[in-house]
Amino acid sequence: MSEKHLTDTRFDSFDLAPGIQQGIAEAGFTYCTPIQAESLPIALTGQDLAGQAQTGTGKTAAFLVATLQHLTVHPADESRRANQPRALMVAPTRELAVQIHNDAVTLTKHTNFTSAVVFGGTGYEEQRRQLQEGVDILIGTPGRLIDYLKQGVYDLRAIQVIVLDEADRMFDLGFIKDIRFMLRRCPKPGKRLGMLFSATLSYRVKELAYEHMNNPQNVEVEPEQVTAENVREVCYMTANEEKIPLLIGLLRNLENARTIVFINTKRTADKVWGFLQGNGIETAVLSGDVPQKKRLSLLKKFQNGEVSVLVATDVAARGLHISDVSHVVNFDLPEDAEDYVHRIGRTARAGASGDAISFACETHAFSLPDIETYVGHRIPLESVDQALLAEIDPKSRIYPEKGSRNQRHQKDGRKSHGKGHHHRGHKRPDGSGKPHHRRRSKPPEGGGTQ
C-alpha cells in the first residue's frame, strides 16, 4: 500500500489481542488505510456499520480484524454446538469468498479460531464435512450456504458477527432474497455485530442495512474522482477487423506486464484467446463455463506470473484482488458505464499505477459518451498507427479443447438452436444451480458458473 494512501493511524494503536496483532504484523500491515482507520474504531466498540469504499482499499482486513477481536472479547456460549459457526461472512462470488478466506487464514495464524469457505461448483462433500466438524468463521456464497443451511448441516443461532461484502453486487446478481433468508435465522441485530460493505451505499443497500442491522453507522471513503487516480487511460478508435491485430501488437510491445483483457461475451473471449495462443502469447481465459477447479488454477497461474495475459468476461471485473496487474484492456467497451470503472479498477490497486487501454470499435463505440459522463472526464483518444498492428494469419487461431461447442460450430458451420439453449445450465455466479435473471441489456456469458 502506497504511503500516499495510508493514514497516520497504526494498527498497534488499537487494543487488540496479542495473537491478532501478531497476524497483522506478519501480514505486513502497519498503518491503516482510510476505510480501516474510520471503520475499526466503530466496529471494535460493537457498533454496527455500513461502509462504502472502492475495491482494493483494505476493507477485507478491516472487517476480519474487527470480527476476530469481537469473538475474542465475547466468548462463545457454553451451549454452542460444533456445527454452529460464530461468524458468517457472505460474498457474491466464489473468487471473493476464497480471497476473504485466504486473508482470514493469515490473520488467524496465531489464534485458535478456525475458518472455512464454501462455494458452488466443487468440493461439495468436503465442504459439508468441514461444516459438520465445526468452524468459528464461515465464509461463503449465498447458494451453497443456503443449501447446507436448509439441510441442517449447520445453523446460525450462535452467530455473533455477520459481514456482507459487496452488498450492491448481491442486488445485481439476485441474491437479496437469499441474504434475507439467512439474516432472519441469525440472532436479533442487537445480539450480534453487523458489518456491511459496498462500492455504493445506494438506497436499496441502506434499506437492507437498516432492516437487518442495529442502527448502523455509515462510513464513506471515496476519492474525488470515480476512477483510480493512478490509472493512465487511453482509447483507440479502431475498426472491428483491426482489434485482434492491435491487441496482439500492443501485447508484444509490453515488457514484464500482467494484463487482463476484458470481453463482453464468452464467444468473443474464446475467439480472442484462440488468436493470442495461436500467435505465441500464453493466455488464460476466465468466463462463464470454466469449471471451478480450473478457474482457481488459472487465477493462480496468472497471479504467479506463469501466464501473463488473462482474457475475461465481466465475471472477473469485481471481487477479485490480483496484485500487480499492470494493464487492463477493454477489447470491448462495456455497455454499462459502471462496469468500465470496475474493470479498470483491476489495475492501479493499493496506490500503484497502471494503464487502461480501451478499443472504441464500430460495434461498441456508442458506449463511450456514457462512460465519459459517468467518470466525469474525457478519455484521451488516439487513432490506430499502422505500426501497432501485428501481421496476423487468419489460420493462426486455435480452438478450445476437443468437444467444446465453439469448436464444433467452427468445424461444421452450424449454430446451436437446441431447445432451451438460453436457459439450461445458467448457474449463479456463486456456482449454485439455481438460475437467476440477467438484465436484457447485456448478452449472456454462456454456460454460466461465474
Side-chain angles (χ1 to χ4, degrees):
M1 177 67 69
S2 168
E3 291 186 3
K4 181 179 177 181
H5 295 266
L6 296 175
T7 66
D8 293 330
T9 304
R10 296 175 60 97
F11 276 98
D12 58 16
S13 68
F14 298 113
D15 186 18
L16 300 174
I20 300 173
Q21 284 284 19
Q22 192 172 353
I24 292 172
E26 290 190 7
F29 301 148
T30 303
Y31 291 95
C32 294
T33 65
I35 189 64
Q36 293 164 351
E38 292 196 33
S39 61
L40 278 171
I42 298 170
L44 290 175
T45 63
Q47 171 68 49
D48 287 7
L49 69 89
Q52 173 180 316
Q54 287 185 312
T55 56
T57 55
K59 53 189 171 72
T60 302
F63 65 70
L64 281 170
V65 169
T67 297
L68 296 176
Q69 182 64 16
H70 189 86
L71 297 183
T72 300
V73 174
H74 301 87
D77 191 290
E78 292 182 0
S79 63
R80 170 181 172 257
R81 300 193 306 273
N83 69 336
Q84 292 181 317
R86 300 177 62 191
L88 175 67
M89 299 178 178
V90 188
T93 64
R94 297 173 296 193
E95 288 80 10
L96 180 55
V98 170
Q99 174 196 320
I100 294 170
H101 181 247
N102 290 339
D103 291 343
V105 170
T106 300
L107 293 175
T108 59
K109 185 177 179 181
H110 300 283
T111 72
N112 293 322
F113 297 120
T114 59
S115 62
V117 59
V118 302
F119 48 83
T122 186
Y124 191 88
E125 291 302 326
E126 181 182 353
Q127 293 174 14
R128 178 189 177 100
R129 184 171 56 256
Q130 196 170 8
L131 284 188
Q132 289 173 328
E133 293 173 354
V135 295
D136 295 304
I137 303 169
L138 174 57
I139 304 159
T141 51
R144 184 60 64 89
L145 284 169
I146 287 184
D147 184 0
Y148 292 139
L149 181 61
K150 289 183 175 179
Q151 293 183 49
V153 177
Y154 73 99
D155 71 58
L156 299 170
R157 284 175 287 187
I159 288 294
Q160 296 172 262
V161 181
I162 185 163
V163 177
L164 301 181
D165 198 12
E166 299 280 3
D168 52 341
R169 192 64 167 161
M170 301 283 194
F171 279 98
D172 294 341
L173 299 174
F175 287 143
I176 291 306
K177 286 185 178 180
D178 297 339
I179 298 300
R180 294 184 191 278
F181 179 89
M182 286 186 284
L183 290 175
R184 287 195 295 266
R185 282 150 182 82
C186 293
K188 298 294 183 183
K191 296 183 178 181
R192 68 180 192 241
L193 171 63
M195 290 177 281
L196 174 152
F197 288 86
S198 177
T200 58
L201 288 181
S202 62
Y203 174 79
R204 60 184 184 176
V205 171
K206 288 182 178 179
E207 183 181 43
L208 176 70
Y210 283 105
E211 180 181 352
H212 294 282
M213 299 174 75
N214 183 26
N215 191 27
Q217 188 167 334
N218 287 351
V219 175
E220 299 187 22
V221 177
E222 57 182 344
E224 293 182 359
Q225 59 189 86
V226 175
T227 55
E229 59 186 74
N230 292 331
V231 177
R232 296 177 291 268
E233 298 173 81
V234 66
C235 186
Y236 288 99
M237 305 300 293
T238 176
N240 286 349
E241 63 271 15
E242 292 177 331
K243 292 172 72 176
I244 292 289
L246 177 59
L247 176 62
I248 293 176
L250 291 172
L251 292 176
R252 284 177 175 171
N253 287 319
L254 299 180
E255 293 184 7
N256 300 318
R258 180 175 294 173
T259 306
I260 300 180
V261 179
F262 281 107
I263 316 288
N264 285 355
T265 67
K266 177 198 173 299
R267 177 171 294 184
T268 305
D270 285 341
K271 175 183 175 182
V272 171
W273 171 84
F275 273 113
L276 294 182
Q277 285 287 116
N279 284 273
I281 299 174
E282 193 64 28
T283 308
V285 62
L286 187 66
S287 60
D289 62 354
V290 177
Q292 179 62 13
K293 287 186 177 179
K294 186 174 181 180
R295 289 164 62 86
L296 295 176
S297 173
L298 292 175
L299 286 172
K300 184 176 181 180
K301 288 182 178 180
F302 184 64
Q303 181 73 69
N304 294 341
E306 298 175 45
V307 174
S308 62
V309 179
L310 177 67
V311 172
T313 53
D314 279 308
V315 64
R318 295 186 61 174
L320 290 182
H321 177 57
I322 301 173
S323 61
D324 302 324
V325 173
S326 59
H327 294 74
V328 166
V329 178
N330 287 301
F331 185 86
D332 298 327
L333 282 176
E335 294 181 15
D336 189 330
E338 189 174 348
D339 286 340
Y340 174 83
V341 174
H342 293 309
R343 287 180 178 188
I344 71 171
R346 297 310 94 199
T347 187
R349 294 171 73 87
S353 61
D355 291 273
I357 303 168
S358 299
F359 295 173
C361 64
E362 300 158 75
T363 304
H364 299 290
F366 67 87
S367 297
L368 186 58
D370 288 342
I371 291 173
E372 291 182 327
T373 299
Y374 184 79
V375 300
H377 62 261
R378 298 295 298 271
I379 300 173
L381 296 177
E382 292 190 14
S383 57
V384 177
D385 187 331
Q386 292 299 308
L388 290 176
L389 301 179
E391 292 188 11
I392 304 299
D393 181 351
K395 297 181 180 179
S396 64
R397 177 186 174 188
I398 64 175
Y399 293 92
E401 296 176 4
K402 186 177 181 181
S404 75
R405 186 170 64 236
N406 280 5
Q407 185 180 19
R408 293 197 306 270
H409 293 171
Q410 290 292 337
K411 287 186 175 181
D412 62 20
R414 289 180 287 122
K415 295 183 178 180
S416 173
H417 295 291
K419 295 180 181 180
H421 173 67
H422 293 293
H423 301 285
R424 291 183 180 178
H426 286 271
K427 297 182 180 179
R428 302 176 118 181
D430 67 345
S432 62
K434 186 177 179 182
H436 69 286
H437 296 288
R438 298 181 183 270
R439 289 180 290 181
R440 291 183 180 273
S441 61
K442 291 187 178 183
E445 297 291 315
T449 48
Q450 293 186 12

